[in-house]
Amino acid sequence: MTKITGMTPKGLDQDGLFVREGALSKVPVAFEPVVTAAREGIAAAFGPELLDSAYLYGSIPRGTAVPGHSDLDLLLALRRQPTAADRSAADALQAGLDARFGQINGGGILLFSTETLLSELERYDLGWFVACLCTPLLGPDLAEQLPRYRPDTLLARETNGDLGRLLPRWQARATAAGTQAERRTLSRGAARTIVRAGFTLVMPRWQGWTSDLAESAEIFARYYPEHGDQMRAAASIARAGNPDPRALALLLMELGPWLAEEYAAVHGVKTPRP
């Protein structure tokens, strides 16, 4: 994947192709020690025999992270399929970083094999994610083995065309949730996915990219004004979650089902994974 320096305000180059949104040079000063510690911790926990490459994504490499509020989000490409032991090592690393640095408020480490990330099945989902939304931290950049991407209906389908399959799981979790903390966590995660799906629904028409959830909701509202207030409410929930059952009802019983149906009608359903 050839790197292009020129970028339009919509996150694309002059040819309408995605430009990687993050860079280590954009990391806010307050988060530089966190990134350094993450790099060292990943190298120590996984080592060159297992680790192919590591990436940083989210608000920190975009330069929009807020100390005390933002997550530390990492993706590791391993030379084989991740094991339960790998997951435990990643969880321990994440917990240690979270305890050590007050700048971050949780986060997560995604684990995939390099084979999966470069597979044809994931070309327009995880492959696009690595090439366009992840910032290289360690090892060779897998983006060099991936194509350039456009904000088209294929990308829309393969990134967020599985909303209809996610809703029943969320609804079951909402029914089983017994605490405000559980409902808050569920509402935040579901809202983030729904807002992103709302944006990618209209992305091919808007012809651009943004990871900002509030902006995503506003762009969606230009094309679906009758659902604009619902999507703005979802973007608000996505920031910190909302344990109110009415918030979950909005996401899981109202906006989510409509969006899943509209998405399937416009872009189709995401290719099933094994």
Side-chain angles (χ1 to χ4, degrees):
M1 176 179 172
T2 304
K3 297 180 180 178
I4 305 296
T5 55
M7 182 171 68
T8 71
K10 288 187 174 184
L12 308 178
D13 67 16
Q14 298 302 321
D15 296 320
L17 299 167
F18 276 83
V19 175
R20 184 173 253 153
E21 67 173 6
L24 293 181
S25 61
K26 295 181 180 180
V27 172
V29 173
F31 290 91
E32 289 177 354
V34 182
V35 173
T36 297
R39 182 189 289 110
E40 293 171 350
I42 292 167
F46 292 90
E49 299 81 11
L50 177 56
L51 182 71
D52 199 339
S53 54
Y55 303 83
L56 185 66
Y57 69 94
S59 61
I60 293 178
R62 290 199 302 269
T64 60
V66 178
H69 295 279
S70 295
D71 299 340
L72 173 65
D73 296 311
L74 299 161
L75 181 147
L76 308 187
L78 305 183
R79 299 184 187 279
R80 56 160 168 73
Q81 292 298 328
T83 65
D86 298 332
R87 182 69 267 164
S88 295
D91 290 344
L93 174 59
Q94 178 64 52
L97 291 169
D98 198 32
R100 181 178 169 188
F101 295 101
Q103 299 96 311
I104 56 175
N105 182 24
I109 301 176
L110 300 177
L111 299 178
F112 296 100
S113 70
T114 298
E115 181 182 13
T116 294
L117 294 172
L118 295 178
S119 68
E120 187 66 29
L121 183 62
E122 294 296 343
R123 181 65 49 87
Y124 290 91
D125 188 10
L126 290 175
W128 164 80
F129 180 69
V130 168
C132 299
L133 303 189
C134 289
T135 297
L137 190 62
L138 279 169
D141 184 5
L142 296 182
E144 298 295 341
Q145 301 180 57
L146 291 163
R148 300 296 308 282
Y149 294 90
R150 296 183 183 276
D152 56 19
T153 193
L154 172 60
L155 188 64
R157 185 190 76 209
E158 291 303 303
T159 52
N160 288 298
D162 58 348
L163 185 58
R165 291 196 286 266
L166 295 175
L167 281 168
R169 302 178 202 171
W170 292 338
Q171 291 162 352
R173 284 179 58 190
T175 300
T179 67
Q180 284 202 343
E182 289 173 332
R183 289 191 292 271
R184 184 182 298 278
T185 298
L186 173 59
S187 67
R188 183 172 185 260
R192 291 169 73 88
T193 298
I194 286 171
V195 174
R196 290 194 182 104
F199 170 71
T200 53
L201 171 64
V202 303
M203 174 184 67
R205 296 165 68 185
W206 188 63
Q207 278 297 294
W209 175 260
T210 179
S211 287
D212 184 277
L213 295 178
E215 184 181 16
S216 295
E218 292 302 326
I219 293 167
F220 165 86
R222 298 179 195 175
Y223 299 91
Y224 292 93
E226 68 276 19
H227 294 282
D229 287 343
Q230 289 180 317
M231 192 62 75
R232 293 183 185 99
S236 178
I237 296 169
R239 283 193 287 272
N242 186 338
D244 191 327
R246 291 173 295 183
L248 283 172
L250 167 68
L251 297 171
L252 307 185
M253 306 305 294
E254 300 174 30
L255 180 58
W258 169 84
L259 181 59
E261 184 176 347
E262 181 69 6
Y263 212 102
V266 174
H267 298 303
V269 177
K270 184 175 182 174
T271 304
R273 268 53 176 170

mmCIF file of all heavy atoms in Angstrom, residues 37 47 54 64 71-72 81-82 99 109 112 127-128 210 220:
data_model
loop_
_atom_site.group_PDB
_atom_site.id
_atom_site.type_symbol
_atom_site.label_atom_id
_atom_site.label_comp_id
_atom_site.label_asym_id
_atom_site.label_seq_id
_atom_site.Cartn_x
_atom_site.Cartn_y
_atom_site.Cartn_z
ATOM 1 N N ALA A 37 5.696 2.687 26.818
ATOM 2 C CA ALA A 37 5.539 1.531 27.701
ATOM 3 C C ALA A 37 4.793 0.403 27.005
ATOM 4 O O ALA A 37 5.103 -0.784 27.205
ATOM 5 C CB ALA A 37 4.812 1.946 28.976
ATOM 6 N N GLY A 47 7.460 -11.157 21.997
ATOM 7 C CA GLY A 47 8.740 -11.522 21.406
ATOM 8 C C GLY A 47 8.687 -11.694 19.903
ATOM 9 O O GLY A 47 7.626 -11.920 19.324
ATOM 10 N N ALA A 54 2.711 -4.806 15.478
ATOM 11 C CA ALA A 54 1.786 -4.250 16.459
ATOM 12 C C ALA A 54 1.349 -2.861 16.007
ATOM 13 O O ALA A 54 2.119 -2.136 15.362
ATOM 14 C CB ALA A 54 2.437 -4.168 17.842
ATOM 15 N N THR A 64 -6.439 13.115 19.367
ATOM 16 C CA THR A 64 -7.622 13.698 20.015
ATOM 17 C C THR A 64 -7.863 13.143 21.412
ATOM 18 O O THR A 64 -8.885 13.436 22.028
ATOM 19 C CB THR A 64 -8.874 13.455 19.165
ATOM 20 O OG1 THR A 64 -9.078 12.036 19.005
ATOM 21 C CG2 THR A 64 -8.726 14.098 17.788
ATOM 22 N N ASP A 71 -9.201 5.692 25.891
ATOM 23 C CA ASP A 71 -8.738 4.313 25.924
ATOM 24 C C ASP A 71 -7.372 4.183 25.261
ATOM 25 O O ASP A 71 -6.989 5.013 24.437
ATOM 26 C CB ASP A 71 -9.710 3.396 25.165
ATOM 27 C CG ASP A 71 -11.105 3.384 25.772
ATOM 28 O OD1 ASP A 71 -11.240 3.751 26.953
ATOM 29 O OD2 ASP A 71 -12.043 3.012 25.059
ATOM 30 N N LEU A 72 -6.673 3.107 25.621
ATOM 31 C CA LEU A 72 -5.483 2.683 24.889
ATOM 32 C C LEU A 72 -5.886 1.476 24.064
ATOM 33 O O LEU A 72 -6.224 0.419 24.604
ATOM 34 C CB LEU A 72 -4.352 2.314 25.849
ATOM 35 C CG LEU A 72 -3.108 1.699 25.193
ATOM 36 C CD1 LEU A 72 -2.420 2.711 24.282
ATOM 37 C CD2 LEU A 72 -2.138 1.167 26.248
ATOM 38 N N GLN A 81 -2.299 -18.460 14.901
ATOM 39 C CA GLN A 81 -3.579 -18.119 15.492
ATOM 40 C C GLN A 81 -3.412 -17.885 16.998
ATOM 41 O O GLN A 81 -2.716 -18.642 17.676
ATOM 42 C CB GLN A 81 -4.591 -19.247 15.250
ATOM 43 C CG GLN A 81 -4.995 -19.424 13.798
ATOM 44 C CD GLN A 81 -5.694 -18.193 13.229
ATOM 45 O OE1 GLN A 81 -6.397 -17.469 13.935
ATOM 46 N NE2 GLN A 81 -5.499 -17.955 11.943
ATOM 47 N N PRO A 82 -4.031 -16.842 17.549
ATOM 48 C CA PRO A 82 -3.914 -16.569 18.987
ATOM 49 C C PRO A 82 -4.467 -17.718 19.827
ATOM 50 O O PRO A 82 -5.433 -18.388 19.440
ATOM 51 C CB PRO A 82 -4.755 -15.309 19.167
ATOM 52 C CG PRO A 82 -4.840 -14.692 17.814
ATOM 53 C CD PRO A 82 -4.828 -15.826 16.836
ATOM 54 N N ALA A 99 -3.198 0.305 35.118
ATOM 55 C CA ALA A 99 -2.893 0.602 36.516
ATOM 56 C C ALA A 99 -1.732 1.587 36.643
ATOM 57 O O ALA A 99 -1.687 2.389 37.581
ATOM 58 C CB ALA A 99 -2.564 -0.699 37.255
ATOM 59 N N ILE A 109 -6.729 -4.910 23.749
ATOM 60 C CA ILE A 109 -5.721 -5.384 22.816
ATOM 61 C C ILE A 109 -6.362 -6.452 21.938
ATOM 62 O O ILE A 109 -6.773 -7.513 22.426
ATOM 63 C CB ILE A 109 -4.498 -5.958 23.539
ATOM 64 C CG1 ILE A 109 -3.860 -4.893 24.451
ATOM 65 C CG2 ILE A 109 -3.467 -6.478 22.532
ATOM 66 C CD1 ILE A 109 -2.685 -5.411 25.280
ATOM 67 N N PHE A 112 -4.925 -11.076 16.405
ATOM 68 C CA PHE A 112 -5.260 -11.809 15.181
ATOM 69 C C PHE A 112 -3.978 -12.398 14.613
ATOM 70 O O PHE A 112 -2.882 -11.890 14.863
ATOM 71 C CB PHE A 112 -5.884 -10.891 14.128
ATOM 72 C CG PHE A 112 -7.197 -10.299 14.523
ATOM 73 C CD1 PHE A 112 -7.278 -8.997 14.999
ATOM 74 C CD2 PHE A 112 -8.368 -11.042 14.417
ATOM 75 C CE1 PHE A 112 -8.491 -8.444 15.369
ATOM 76 C CE2 PHE A 112 -9.590 -10.497 14.778
ATOM 77 C CZ PHE A 112 -9.654 -9.198 15.257
ATOM 78 N N GLY A 127 -8.572 -6.076 7.134
ATOM 79 C CA GLY A 127 -7.483 -5.561 6.306
ATOM 80 C C GLY A 127 -7.570 -4.056 6.152
ATOM 81 O O GLY A 127 -6.570 -3.337 6.312
ATOM 82 N N TRP A 128 -8.763 -3.576 5.831
ATOM 83 C CA TRP A 128 -8.970 -2.128 5.725
ATOM 84 C C TRP A 128 -8.685 -1.439 7.056
ATOM 85 O O TRP A 128 -8.064 -0.369 7.096
ATOM 86 C CB TRP A 128 -10.418 -1.853 5.303
ATOM 87 C CG TRP A 128 -10.837 -0.442 5.533
ATOM 88 C CD1 TRP A 128 -10.560 0.646 4.754
ATOM 89 C CD2 TRP A 128 -11.607 0.053 6.634
ATOM 90 N NE1 TRP A 128 -11.105 1.784 5.301
ATOM 91 C CE2 TRP A 128 -11.746 1.443 6.454
ATOM 92 C CE3 TRP A 128 -12.184 -0.560 7.745
ATOM 93 C CZ2 TRP A 128 -12.452 2.250 7.359
ATOM 94 C CZ3 TRP A 128 -12.885 0.232 8.651
ATOM 95 C CH2 TRP A 128 -13.012 1.619 8.449
ATOM 96 N N THR A 210 -14.653 9.705 8.614
ATOM 97 C CA THR A 210 -14.390 10.316 9.906
ATOM 98 C C THR A 210 -14.545 9.248 10.969
ATOM 99 O O THR A 210 -15.399 8.356 10.845
ATOM 100 C CB THR A 210 -15.339 11.483 10.199
ATOM 101 O OG1 THR A 210 -15.033 12.015 11.507
ATOM 102 C CG2 THR A 210 -16.797 11.051 10.187
ATOM 103 N N PHE A 220 -24.764 11.438 9.040
ATOM 104 C CA PHE A 220 -25.901 10.534 8.836
ATOM 105 C C PHE A 220 -27.211 11.320 8.768
ATOM 106 O O PHE A 220 -28.070 11.049 7.910
ATOM 107 C CB PHE A 220 -25.956 9.526 9.990
ATOM 108 C CG PHE A 220 -27.249 8.781 10.093
ATOM 109 C CD1 PHE A 220 -27.465 7.625 9.359
ATOM 110 C CD2 PHE A 220 -28.272 9.235 10.926
ATOM 111 C CE1 PHE A 220 -28.673 6.939 9.445
ATOM 112 C CE2 PHE A 220 -29.473 8.561 11.018
ATOM 113 C CZ PHE A 220 -29.680 7.416 10.275
#
